[in-house]
Amino acid sequence: MIFSKRVARLLGAASLTAVLAVSACTGSGQETGDDDTAGEGVILQAYGGASGQFVENYNPLSPTVLEAIRGMVYESLFYFNPLQPLSAKPEPLLGESYVVNEDGTVVDVTIKTGVTWSDGEPFTAEDVAFTYNTVRDNPELNTTGNGPAAEVTGENTVRLSFDRPAFPDVPNVLAVSIVPEHIFSEMENVVIDPNLEPVGTGPMVLGEFTAQSYLLEKNDSYRNAEDVAVPGVRYFSLSGNQAATDKLLAGELDMAGIAIPDVETVLAPYEDLHILTTTFQQVVLTTCSDEEMGCEGPQTDPTVRQAMALAIDREQINQLAYYGRGLEISPTFGVVGRDDEQISDEFPPMSMEPDVAGAKELLEDAGWELGSDGVYAKDGERLSFDVIVTSGYTDYISTLDILKQQLAEAGIEINPQQQANAEILSARSQGNFQVAIDGIFGGPTADLYYIYNNNFSSAQAAPVGENGNPYGNVSKFSDPTVDAAIQAAAATQDPAEKVRLYGEIQDVIVPAMPYIPLINNQGFGTYSTANYTGWPTEEDPYVQDFSIGLLLERLEPVN
Amino acid sequence: MSILRKLAFYLVALFAALTLNFAIPRMLPSNPVDVLLGKLQAQGPVTPETRQALMLLFGTDTSVPIWQQYLDYLQSLATGNLGVSVTYFPTPVTEVIASALPWTLVLVGLTTLITFVIGMVIGTIAGWKRGTWVDSLIPSTTILASVPYFWLAMVLVYLLSVTAGIFPLGGGYDVRRTSPELSFEFLSSALYYAALPALTIVISSIGGWILGMRNMMVSTLSEDYVITARAKGLSPKRVMITYAARNAALPSIAGFAISLGFVVGGSVVMEQVFSYPGIGNAFLLAVQNNDYALMQGLFLVITISVLGANLLVDLLYQFIDPRTRARGV
Amino acid sequence: MSTNPEMSSAAGVATPGRSGSVAPDSPLLSISGLSIDYLGERTVHAVANVSLQLGRGEIIGLAGESGCGKSTLAYGINQLLVPPAVITEGGVTFHDRSGDDIDVLALEDKELRRYRWNKVSMVFQGAMNSLNPVISVRAQLNDVFATHRPQMSKAERRLRSGELLELVGVDPKRLDSYAHELSGGMRQRVMIAMALALDPELMIMDEPTTALDVVVQRDILLEITRLREELGFAVIFITHDLPLLLEISDRIAIMRHGRIVEMASAEEIFFAAQDPYTRQLLRSFPSLTGERGDFIRHGAQLENEEVR
Ligand SMILES: Nc1ncnc2c1ncn2[C@@H]1O[C@H](COP(=O)(O)OP(=O)(O)O)[C@@H](O)[C@H]1O
Ligand SMILES: [Mg+2]
């Protein structure tokens, strides 16, 4: 589980707001007094954003597996941590090392020896090969579309062969949970089998399950069992963010992924509670930018997009909608600081201050004239458009309210339209919108390739009216230089070459600006040092995801 | 004959409902995969390959022609296969429903029945004693009924759970101390957790029954057969029950049939307020996640329960109202 | 069935002379100065100071335009009135067969219920609505026996119920029918049978034939007069149809605005009405020709429809 504000909000969105208000004052109280304890040590209490009933699904190859089964019970070969810079090496888990060949089509992996499954069977290279071949043979599980064929090449080595160059797919492919062949090969249909008796290699095994909570217990046969002081982790399903926040503040959760507005103020009185930034949600206005793809409206004009970017008072948005926790945003969508090596020097972060005069000048130079209604117009077309936003996403909604006023000063009119999530998805998929407020998220590593490929390549864009990927290139931006550079970046491991290619891309996308940058919002996880210390910190973000077993090796009991 | 005709009518109604059930979710914007992907996007860009894999997994492949989907749908219904829930993937819809249904059926079903019975009894007495102090209490119950359920439930939760701590805040039972099984511990915990939701339902819906029955009683009491019964020297109890109430109850029983039918589907708000693990909750999640299979399964259960309740009352009506019996004989 | 021979002999004997207010030889019911109000914003004096004596086996007709208080008076005799009706003055005394005088208005609960139907039964206007639609004829008859004759066995009840239907000319098979399965005439016959169930001394009939068509109406009237002759009960027959009363009543009371304006034998009313209102009432029925009783007898020849 990744604890970001967005994810927690998405998962928690089920609950009615007013219900939350009541559970708010209550959530705790009722359930205090019976902390789980097992043998020695305190069981970690965790909340990952689940609402509704848990359903038993311990199949780590399934997209709806219970949270933390991947990571705590099952392990992958390597762990790629997106909080680390591009140059960082992945953490070996079941793998020892790997080598990618010149053209990125073959990965040779050496695995750890002496590892056993929790049922006592030895972990072997056959298990690894079986796992990858299973994924490849079942299109339903092949989420990269580029699943490799696997073959055991030695006692401890496996060769993964790809159909096409796979440099960018490697982190995702090597993050696949490895499953035991002796159990999964017996399954009639591995795609939907819930794997009710999970046998893994990770630090935890399944304890008990109920629809409201389940318990993972320490795996005594874990290879680093002596480093694990935590006797178990209990995961809860709660009615929503407010109930979870109450539980956290009542000292009943050790780790949680909850969207808490103004989190620093809320947590300030609690000295045990801390946060770790885990994700970067780059908040943008996504424009339907390309007329040739069928987009209509003034936002198809790059000058208009540039003018808007200039007129925005980012500091005000940060203070009012994000409680001052937002970071400067780069028009290249690299995270300022972490990704500096990938960001062209030509493009400093977007100014936090507005430049209304500059925006107006830009518009007037392009032939827009201020109308008597205070809104620019050109050829009879007013500089006015709708911005769609999912109802209930309060930070987005208040951002748009602020933007409406800010842009009005520059003679630009926006009309926020709240819609249900499903409607928004449909509009984004079909291109039936002018502007949407949105978040751009990074990939499995800090490599900017993922953002560029996903949001800017024409291969990811469908013409208006066709059923496209609502999480892909929704702006429908397309540019041959950018497409070529993205393709080239996918085919190289050389960091310097990548940076050069990214510079080419940035030279095009920054002036075109199909996504107008607003603010870089930090998603976070919350943890408590009341029972355990040794959590990942800003200085040492050794895991980004609290469900990675490595975390448990580092936690030390307070008593 | 009439029973056969009635059954035929219900079959046609069921078939129409099943067809709508197929069509409606497909008219909703978006699809389950995109909703699920929204939750995954923070873990990395959602590639078309991921989307395709999930479409395959969830069987939402739109390349299959719609008539084929319809035939497949009917065929799997016939075999009792309602598909796999996306929300609770890979749990079959039948299992999701089977685990949620008892909660709703027992809590809402029993409460609806209890509310109806109590409402009818009070309404009968109030109508019988019209103009007395008993009767003058009736308007206050309708005030309760006019309070929005949501608001009423929140106030009761605040007063009785949060402030007084008499009842738990929500949930189906104490997850920490017991788990679903046939034990005294579990049953008593479930009962304790059901008490407040039940109370809110009773309070919010009893006024309607009382008022309806009371008014019917008053008009029935001036019917000649009631006066005749009194003139016959029958005991007041006999007059009240066999002559007045049995006739006055007829319209309410039809209303009861309708509310029984909605037991299964009509508890969304209650289950949200109390985080109750029933059908209403499942329904909300299904809609939020565009979970066609689960939605269809739930619609099916709701349809069947509405039709079933109507059929039941139709048959019951033949017992209690001989006039309806006559036509077919 | 037990018919009091003494009663039979008294049947049909009307006191001669202008004697509407004169007590019959053998009184069954005495109403004295009865006043009934409906309380409300405008209190209605529905019955005002009515005095009346009814002889054993006598048929008294009570006529008057609708709204004059006939039903209210009838209900008062049986204490069937409910609020807002109140009896403000007067008394009702029932002179029982056994010689006891029953102060009807003083009866309460059990005693009142024992008095009802045992002594005084009633047949109401709405033949359609006097039967409970949801239970069978048999069940409604059984209710009467179960309440008043608890010692009767099931078989006795069944036998008696059959007898009663036969007595009013209805096929005993109809016992298992429901009201909606019977024609209007049959329903009223069933009601009459039910009224006879306990062999009462008085039967109050409140417009029993108003809702029926003329032919059926005639049949029912014939039936009532026949039964009265056989069984000897007294009848208070209420209607706004004066000609009809003239044919069947021994004495007739004319009511107006809650008061009895004239009370006399049928002949006297017909040939020598004193009160202007009575005369006006008579004039409003233009077809009042032929001999008294002609309507019934003539009609009897025509009778063929009603299947028994
Ligand atoms: N429940 C009642 N409340 C008030 N007034 C009533 C009520 N019932 C009857 N009345 C009035 O009492 C008067 C006598 O009514 P009723 O005895 O039914 O007349 P009738 O039987 O001669 O047609 C009428 O003026 C009628 O309006
Ligand atoms: Mg009347």
Side-chain angles (χ1 to χ4, degrees), chain A residues 315-531:
Chain A
E315 187 54 39
Q316 191 183 34
I317 289 173
N318 189 20
Q319 292 306 328
L320 297 181
Y322 292 98
Y323 304 94
R325 272 186 48 75
L327 304 174
E328 287 184 307
I329 187 168
S330 162
T332 65
F333 301 106
V335 173
V336 178
R338 182 195 68 179
D339 299 338
D340 283 351
E341 53 186 330
Q342 299 180 75
I343 301 175
S344 162
D345 296 338
E346 275 176 55
F347 302 115
M350 300 299 290
S351 166
M352 295 299 278
E353 307 297 324
D355 178 5
V356 176
K360 288 182 151 181
E361 199 184 313
L362 213 55
L363 288 172
E364 280 159 17
D365 287 351
W368 291 89
E369 281 170 28
L370 198 59
S372 56
D373 56 355
V375 177
Y376 279 100
K378 184 173 164 181
D379 306 332
E381 184 187 31
R382 288 174 81 242
L383 189 37
S384 164
F385 38 76
D386 293 344
V387 184
I388 56 170
V389 58
T390 307
S391 44
Y393 287 10
T394 49
D395 54 344
Y396 282 177
I397 292 167
S398 43
T399 298
L400 285 186
D401 286 343
I402 300 160
L403 267 182
K404 188 179 165 71
Q405 293 175 21
Q406 292 177 356
L407 293 175
E409 280 176 36
I412 302 168
E413 181 180 82
I414 62 166
N415 311 304
Q417 308 279 336
Q418 293 190 32
Q419 294 177 2
N421 189 30
E423 272 179 88
I424 295 270
L425 286 174
S426 166
R428 291 159 54 102
S429 171
Q430 310 259 327
N432 295 328
F433 72 102
Q434 291 183 302
V435 178
I437 186 165
D438 225 336
I440 289 182
F441 294 92
T445 71
D447 195 336
L448 281 182
Y449 168 84
Y450 299 103
I451 288 179
Y452 293 156
N453 181 50
N454 194 61
N455 296 285
F456 294 92
S457 86
S458 57
Q460 297 279 359
V464 170
E466 279 179 28
N467 184 4
N469 177 0
Y471 305 101
N473 181 356
V474 180
S475 74
K476 315 212 174 290
F477 175 80
S478 76
D479 182 275
T481 318
V482 171
D483 286 345
I486 289 172
Q487 257 181 341
T492 178
Q493 297 191 79
D494 175 8
E497 174 64 2
K498 279 189 179 180
V499 167
R500 192 190 64 77
L501 291 165
Y502 296 163
E504 279 181 18
I505 294 172
Q506 291 163 7
D507 285 343
V508 177
I509 65 167
V510 173
M513 204 168 276
Y515 303 89
I516 302 168
L518 297 178
I519 199 86
N520 186 359
N521 178 38
Q522 306 176 73
F524 56 88
T526 313
Y527 59 86
S528 163
T529 50
N531 299 317

Side-chain angles (χ1 to χ4, degrees), chain C residues 38-39 44 46 64-73 83-84 206-207 238:
Chain C
Y38 286 101
L39 301 179
V44 180
E65 63 194 319
S66 77
C68 71
K70 306 181 296 287
S71 298
T72 307
L73 177 60
D206 188 358
E207 313 214 25
I238 298 172

Side-chain angles (χ1 to χ4, degrees), chain A residues 2 7 10-11 14 18 22 26 34 53 55 57 63-64 139 143-144 191-192 212 239 422 425 442-443 460 468-471, chain B residues 30 34 37-39 42-46 48-51 53-54 56-57 88-91 150 154 162 169 175-176 275 288:
Chain A
I2 293 183
V7 172
L10 289 170
L11 295 174
V22 160
T26 67
D34 46 355
Q53 309 244 61
V55 168
N57 180 1
T64 54
T143 53
T144 58
V191 172
I192 58 167
Q212 272 77 27
S239 66
L425 286 174
Q460 297 279 359
N469 177 0
Y471 305 101
Chain B
S30 194
D34 286 343
L37 286 174
K39 299 173 186 174
Q43 295 172 21
V46 173
E49 291 82 9
T50 308
R51 196 160 170 255
L54 287 175
L56 283 175
L57 183 63
Y88 297 112
F89 191 85
T91 315
F150 185 69
M154 301 288 292
V162 179
L169 283 167
V175 268
R176 296 214 180 184
S275 307
Q288 276 165 353

